[in-house]
Amino acid sequence: MELSVLAARILALTYMAAGIAAFSGKITFGQMVEEFERSPALTFVTGFIALVFGMVLVTYHNIWVRNWTVLITVVGWMSLFKGILLMAFPRSVASFKGWYKNTKAWGLLKIALGILFGYFGIFLK
């Protein structure tokens, strides 16, 4: 359970920071996708980081239970697959461009996930 709490705290901070940046307009996901399209190296490095993060979570937190900790496992698997996709098929990032048109909505979703993981990581020890 300690690992779940630590992972929830890390995910909370990560999602909150990204969500606030997106909602405030400091970043736009559409521009980031364009940067990825122009730079296969950036796409590869980002994929590598996602793959390592996902692999760590999948290796140490592959817990399929009926409580909140399964969310961390799902995030780990999603990160692992995202990393593989970005590294093996860097041009595939262009196909997701349409998903990121509304940066503020994605920002709100990330803030909500940050609050959710923060609640689990801080109040449900």
Side-chain angles (χ1 to χ4, degrees), residues 63-77:
I63 302 171
W64 295 96
V65 293
R66 289 186 174 187
N67 64 28
W68 68 271
T69 59
V70 75
L71 295 174
I72 295 168
T73 301
V74 170
V75 168
W77 278 103

Side-chain angles (χ1 to χ4, degrees), residues 34-114:
E34 289 172 8
E35 287 291 325
F36 279 116
E37 286 178 321
R38 286 194 296 270
S39 176
L42 176 63
T43 306
F44 186 85
V45 170
T46 303
F48 178 80
I49 292 168
L51 185 135
V52 170
F53 178 75
M55 194 63 209
V56 168
L57 278 180
V58 166
T59 300
Y60 293 102
H61 198 283
N62 197 18
I63 302 171
W64 295 96
V65 293
R66 289 186 174 187
N67 64 28
W68 68 271
T69 59
V70 75
L71 295 174
I72 295 168
T73 301
V74 170
V75 168
W77 278 103
M78 287 173 49
S79 181
L80 178 65
F81 287 128
K82 180 181 181 180
I84 292 169
L85 181 71
L86 289 175
M87 289 178 72
F89 307 103
R91 298 286 180 212
S92 68
V93 84
S95 62
F96 294 101
K97 190 184 258 184
W99 288 34
Y100 294 117
K101 289 188 187 225
N102 193 340
T103 298
K104 288 194 183 287
W106 280 104
L108 282 176
L109 176 65
K110 288 183 178 290
I111 290 169
L113 286 170

Side-chain angles (χ1 to χ4, degrees), residues 1-13 57 61 63 68-69 72 116-125:
M1 190 64 131
E2 287 182 30
L3 181 59
S4 298
V5 169
L6 174 64
R9 289 176 180 175
I10 291 169
L11 289 172
L13 288 175
L57 278 180
H61 198 283
I63 302 171
W68 68 271
T69 59
I72 295 168
L116 179 70
F117 281 115
Y119 173 76
F120 292 138
I122 294 169
F123 296 111
L124 294 181
K125 292 184 194 178

